[in-house]
Amino acid sequence: MNLKKLKKKVAFEVLKFIPLKEIIGIGTGSTISYFLKYLKKFKNKIKGAVSSSTKTTNILNEYGIKIFYLNNINFLPIYIDSADEINKNMEMIKGGGAALTREKIIASSAKKFICIVDETKIVNVLGKFPLPIEVIPMAYKYVTYELVKLGGIVEKRKNVLTDNNNYILDVKNLFISNPKSLEKKINNIPGVVSVGIFSKRKPDILLISKKNKIKTIFRK
Ligand code: 5RP
């Protein structure tokens, strides 16, 4: 089964977790774009959505799904998103789509976070996927030096400005054996807006799309 089919399968499966007449938080990326196609057919069953990016907002607008701002609501029951890598402790790398900061904020605000991935995203150790870090433009050189000290090979993502008008640094060569400590360390570098390690806000439910089935894991 090809990657597209795996992504579509898990994007469809997650529909059964959607609470009726509620607002749902929605991530960014190709898996989420498939999910939104399915959600379009159910749009009258939900109240609306909180979007994590301009890309997702544009799709929601096109599909006629009402958008709510996080600051204007009191409760977000659920957030649905994918990941670039996830390990067996449900720690993740996110930010391939440059939306990590808003994704982290919405995931942290939601009561439940459901992550939908295809099986290629499962890893033993995080770090093969270059770690995305959102940085304030005037600080990117300084942050780069600090990341090199941590052993990283840093590349500024070309022609990308995030929805918050910042840059993305992609960091290779990090063998992330302790995601918690690295998330904290990188967050503490002045100029970093957020780091694509999600070790504090992990998914509550993980759906993994495999060739013959969808595996559902509930975090203990
Ligand atoms: C965007 C993300 C995405 O969840 C991640 O990049 C996975 O994307 P895709 O569904 O296209 O594989 O973190 O910032």
Side-chain angles (χ1 to χ4, degrees), residues 7 28-31 81-84 94-99 103 121:
K7 288 185 181 199
T28 302
S30 57
T31 315
D81 199 358
S82 187
D84 296 300
K94 287 187 49 55
E103 290 174 343
K121 307 284 183 69

Side-chain angles (χ1 to χ4, degrees), residues 142-162:
Y142 166 71
V143 176
T144 298
Y145 289 136
E146 293 301 305
L147 293 167
V148 168
K149 281 193 214 161
L150 296 175
I153 298 172
V154 187
E155 248 178 59
K156 183 176 155 294
R157 205 177 289 182
K158 285 194 183 72
N159 304 320
V160 170
L161 208 54
T162 69

